[in-house]
Amino acid sequence: MKALQKYKRTYILALQNEMEYRTDFLMSIISGGFIILVQCFLWTAVFRSSPQEIINGYSYSQIIIYSVLSGVVSKLVSAGFEGEVANDIKTGGLSKFIAQPIHYFSYRICNFFGGKTVQTAVVLVLFVILMIVFTQIWEFQLRVGQIVLFLVSILFGLLINFLLFYSISALAFIITEVWGVFIAFNQGVYLLSGAIFPLNIFGDTFARISSYLPFQYVVYFPVKIINGSLTIHEIVPGLLLQAVWVIVLMIISKLSWDSGMKKYVAVGG
Amino acid sequence: MSIIQMEGLSKSFKYYEKELGLKKSLKNLVKRKSLIKEAVSEISLVIEQGEMVGFLGPNGSGKTTTLKMLSGILYPTSGQATVLGYVPWERKKEFKMQFSIVMGQKSQLWWDLPANESLYLNKCIYEVEDEPYNLVLDELTEMLDVKDLLNIQVRRLSLGERMKMELIASLIHRPKVIFLDEPTIGLDLISQKRIREFLKYYNQQTKATVILTSHYMADIEDLCKRTIIINQGKIVYDGDLRRVNELFHAKKIIKLQFTDEVPRQALSDYGVITQHDGLNAVMEIDKHDLQRLSKMMLDRFPILDFTVEDIPVERGIESLYQKDGVRHESLAKV
């Protein structure tokens, strides 16, 4: 019980810390809004110039809803701590965690969720507003069960994304200047998770390949739950696959960190 | 029982060399010459409970590396060590609960939150009960005079104030062994003194074993009865700092003031002249010849003032640093 206290405390501290950076988060929401706006303009132009009502299986309203929701969800699950971790490794900040009775992984995950709690509160408010707007202008329906499943899948998505970035940040043990890798990885995840376009737009081959990868479970899958394009028979296996990915990635991150830790040479003589 | 034991502890790092120039950079992409630096070599030491030991040495001499091995952050390349009966790099929780390491250049406080939040986090990390926590916190903040600063964001604190908070954070769980790596780095004289007084008092009160590294002579002179001078990864001296010069026993410093100018050559017969401007001179003279030579000089020159001094400790250490660490004799158990 006492041992859990330290992680609870880390969570609370991260929560408080996040509140110190209100403007920062607000700005990131606004910048996310721009991207959504650009996508909406793009799709509007595409649909205007096309004689078809449905493009790639999406109607105009469906694609707009997808763009907006994926923008919001990708903001919600975004990692952003990888730089901090790399910095800890590079400058030797990791040393204090080795010397203290606290696990770095647990510390990071509490820290991550602590920061996310504040963001989630803001994003959920935004979400409710968007949902009301959508149900008003388009025939868009929501069931309670759908919302619950959506929230569960978001939680898994958060975990998957955390583990992906936690694993990749172990590269800082080998590569001292790891920023380039992070940027590339970030863009890759952004695309493959379905944050920009729904993944089936890229064709069947692409969809099949990405179904073997964890990325689509970060954004694409949760958004498909909430926009109503999945039946319950598709959602449940999806959630199970998310859980499987969480376990697989946990093992990967453990392996990469264990081997990294062996290499770890605290800086300074 | 000795609290800290080291036996032939060594650590070497692999590093890469790159020569100047773009051409060499390109070459480096393909093939890198790896070199091995021995940061710590064959250090053996025993430290007893309640001792306050100072590690002194130039930059890169291996002080911090030694502390990092003792706190389990680094694995040694070879050799053994135990702290409180534990092997540090096994990183056992029971061990971690009983020691503390403070790195003057690395903060463990949360930058954007008030210090008391970080202190409370440490309370939870070290599983300290409420009552002892409040007691320790009261005592430490009182002693360091930072009670009013607990609610201020850490980034708004001055360097000295922050260092005091770091110290408090690392003492919350009343560690039995404390490693302090440059705790006074970058601080002004008053803050340095304050922290020194605190450490001295804390050591006496709690009987905690303290190892301290510093560049500042004053830190170590003031705090540590026992000083270990490290150069190029080896122990070159172990004992009382004030007796460092006994390694160079032979010399004394004489300061002379004359009523009339005395030429340099005339003095050079008696010893090594380190300063000379006609009316004043400073010389180094063999201790054994001191009496005989000074008598001769007093007879020969128009001397107004004559003082004999010991060689300052700094000079002794300087010469130890320059000796490439080959010197092994020590005045340890004197």
Side-chain angles (χ1 to χ4, degrees):
Chain A
M1 207 52 231
K2 266 210 103 48
L4 283 178
Q5 196 72 18
K6 61 187 87 165
Y7 299 111
K8 190 179 134 205
R9 202 62 217 163
T10 308
Y11 171 84
I12 294 171
L13 244 57
L15 209 139
Q16 284 176 286
N17 211 31
E18 187 64 30
M19 288 188 210
E20 289 290 325
Y21 286 115
R22 287 158 302 207
T23 337
D24 185 57
F25 180 60
L26 205 69
M27 291 314 285
S28 83
I29 293 234
I30 291 171
S31 74
F34 282 126
I35 297 170
I36 296 172
L37 214 62
V38 169
Q39 282 174 304
C40 289
F41 281 126
L42 178 78
W43 285 116
T44 310
V46 168
F47 273 87
R48 281 224 183 105
S49 61
S50 161
Q52 286 152 317
E53 285 282 296
I54 286 173
I55 297 175
N56 285 321
Y58 287 87
S59 71
Y60 177 67
S61 66
Q62 279 173 330
I63 198 79
I64 295 294
I65 289 171
Y66 183 89
S67 299
V68 174
L69 292 182
S70 70
V72 176
V73 170
S74 71
K75 194 98 261 167
L76 189 60
V77 298
S78 66
F81 60 87
E82 65 276 9
E84 253 175 85
V85 177
N87 205 40
D88 274 349
I89 295 170
K90 192 179 165 187
T91 61
L94 195 60
S95 298
K96 76 174 186 209
F97 293 95
I98 301 174
Q100 287 186 344
I102 183 167
H103 291 288
Y104 191 66
F105 175 82
S106 316
Y107 169 82
R108 268 292 152 211
I109 202 161
C110 293
N111 201 335
F112 177 68
F113 278 100
K116 280 294 165 205
T117 308
V118 183
Q119 298 188 4
T120 309
V122 178
V123 168
L124 280 183
V125 172
L126 210 71
F127 219 82
V128 171
I129 296 169
L130 285 170
M131 284 302 154
I132 293 168
V133 172
F134 288 151
T135 46
Q136 290 303 313
I137 54 175
W138 288 304
E139 64 240 54
F140 180 73
Q141 279 167 358
L142 267 180
R143 292 178 306 273
V144 182
Q146 207 180 338
I147 295 172
V148 173
L149 291 170
F150 169 70
L151 290 177
V152 174
S153 73
I154 284 282
L155 187 69
F156 277 128
L158 267 169
L159 273 170
I160 290 173
N161 210 32
F162 171 84
L163 290 166
L164 278 172
F165 278 89
Y166 187 76
S167 309
I168 203 80
S169 57
L171 272 181
F173 285 116
I174 314 165
I175 312 168
T176 325
E177 209 49 71
V178 79
W179 276 106
V181 180
F182 285 165
I183 291 169
F185 190 70
N186 236 317
Q187 297 301 322
V189 172
Y190 198 55
L191 183 75
L192 292 171
S193 65
I196 314 175
F197 300 123
L199 290 175
N200 52 347
I201 266 195
F202 299 110
D204 287 342
T205 326
F206 186 87
R208 199 168 333 115
I209 294 169
S210 72
S211 70
Y212 294 112
L213 295 172
F215 306 106
Q216 63 162 338
Y217 295 102
V218 178
V219 178
Y220 186 54
F221 177 64
V223 172
K224 282 212 318 191
I225 294 179
I226 197 78
N227 76 4
S229 56
L230 293 179
T231 62
I232 188 76
H233 302 294
E234 289 166 311
I235 293 173
V236 173
L239 287 174
L240 285 174
L241 275 171
Q242 276 191 315
V244 170
W245 272 115
V246 168
I247 293 163
V248 170
L249 286 168
M250 266 178 142
I251 295 165
I252 290 176
S253 74
K254 174 116 178 65
L255 290 176
S256 59
W257 271 77
D258 281 355
S259 69
M261 271 300 205
K262 271 189 204 132
K263 274 215 172 72
Y264 180 66
V265 172
V267 182
Chain B
M1 192 197 88
S2 13
I3 291 281
I4 300 170
Q5 282 174 311
M6 290 174 247
E7 188 63 54
L9 203 62
S10 302
K11 176 79 193 176
S12 43
F13 291 105
K14 210 196 256 177
Y15 67 104
Y16 299 106
E17 196 181 52
K18 192 195 99 58
E19 286 162 80
L20 196 69
L22 181 64
K23 220 180 192 172
K24 292 289 197 291
S25 292
L26 287 171
K27 209 179 106 191
N28 249 14
L29 284 177
V30 189
K31 198 182 163 206
R32 282 201 264 192
K33 199 163 101 187
S34 69
L35 299 166
I36 284 174
K37 186 200 172 194
E38 220 167 318
V40 172
S41 71
E42 299 277 322
I43 284 191
S44 299
L45 263 184
V46 173
I47 292 168
E48 304 296 331
Q49 198 205 327
E51 263 193 291
M52 200 154 181
V53 177
F55 278 12
L56 203 63
N59 286 330
S61 58
K63 298 170 299 208
T64 307
T65 309
T66 311
L67 284 196
K68 280 179 179 165
M69 284 193 281
L70 289 180
S71 49
I73 296 168
L74 290 180
Y75 287 97
T77 316
S78 64
Q80 277 137 29
T82 55
V83 179
L84 293 158
Y86 298 94
V87 177
W89 44 90
E90 284 174 4
R91 299 175 184 163
K92 290 232 172 69
K93 191 186 169 194
E94 300 79 50
F95 168 61
K96 290 179 180 182
M97 299 288 267
Q98 296 183 60
F99 88 102
S100 215
I101 180 165
V102 180
M103 289 184 254
Q105 304 188 68
K106 269 158 214 148
S107 182
Q108 55 170 326
L109 305 171
W110 286 52
W111 207 242
D112 298 305
L113 296 176
N116 57 3
E117 296 283 357
S118 293
L119 296 179
Y120 196 80
L121 177 65
N122 269 21
K123 166 202 181 290
C124 298
I125 288 176
Y126 288 104
E127 299 168 23
V128 181
E129 300 288 340
D130 288 341
E131 210 173 308
Y133 169 73
N134 290 329
L135 245 123
V136 172
L137 190 63
D138 260 2
E139 191 191 340
L140 296 180
T141 47
E142 189 110 348
M143 275 161 74
L144 283 166
D145 195 21
V146 287
K147 223 172 201 143
D148 315 331
L149 303 175
L150 280 173
N151 293 316
I152 298 174
Q153 274 181 322
V154 171
R155 65 183 146 109
R156 298 192 199 282
L157 297 176
S158 75
L159 190 61
E161 290 163 348
R162 211 159 66 222
M163 196 58 227
K164 290 176 184 172
M165 293 300 182
E166 297 279 353
L167 278 175
I168 295 173
S170 63
L171 297 175
I172 283 296
H173 59 296
R174 292 212 171 265
K176 292 189 184 129
V177 173
I178 306 163
F179 302 126
L180 300 160
D181 191 21
E182 317 261 0
T184 53
I185 199 160
L187 300 187
D188 62 64
L189 289 171
I190 298 166
S191 307
Q192 282 184 28
K193 197 159 172 254
R194 200 63 190 262
I195 284 183
R196 275 205 294 274
E197 278 163 8
F198 168 76
L199 289 174
K200 195 183 242 171
Y201 177 80
Y202 189 84
N203 170 251
Q204 281 163 2
Q205 285 294 303
T206 60
K207 296 276 168 283
T209 312
V210 180
I211 298 185
L212 173 97
T213 77
S214 183
H215 292 300
Y216 299 116
M217 280 287 304
D219 276 354
I220 294 193
E221 222 172 354
D222 205 29
L223 287 175
C224 308
K225 256 199 194 144
R226 182 174 171 198
T227 304
I228 290 161
I229 301 177
I230 299 178
N231 191 28
Q232 303 200 341
K234 293 194 177 81
I235 296 179
V236 289
Y237 179 79
D238 182 347
D240 190 336
L241 191 59
R242 263 154 291 202
R243 305 187 69 158
V244 122
N245 282 326
E246 294 184 17
L247 282 178
F248 315 91
H249 17 239
K251 303 259 161 139
K252 283 266 183 190
I253 289 178
I254 303 187
K255 287 184 180 161
L256 298 162
Q257 206 183 343
F258 308 112
T259 47
D260 286 313
E261 293 218 359
V262 172
R264 204 182 173 99
Q265 295 95 312
L267 289 169
S268 60
D269 301 340
Y270 300 95
V272 183
I273 303 163
T274 51
Q275 271 175 52
H276 179 261
D277 69 351
L279 283 175
N280 296 285
V282 180
M283 302 173 61
E284 276 177 24
I285 283 182
D286 246 14
K287 206 197 254 169
H288 304 292
D289 294 333
L290 183 68
Q291 208 181 357
R292 189 173 58 85
L293 289 174
S294 47
K295 209 165 170 189
M296 281 165 72
M297 281 197 285
L298 281 165
D299 289 341
R300 184 172 160 191
F301 303 117
I303 288 171
L304 182 70
D305 195 20
F306 182 98
T307 49
V308 180
E309 287 174 11
D310 282 321
I311 290 181
V313 177
E314 287 85 348
R315 281 278 313 282
I317 291 166
E318 222 174 276
S319 17
L320 272 174
Y321 285 1
Q322 284 156 2
K323 281 216 165 8
D324 290 335
V326 280
R327 210 182 174 105
H328 263 302
E329 72 239 60
S330 76
L331 286 176
K333 314 286 178 278
V334 267

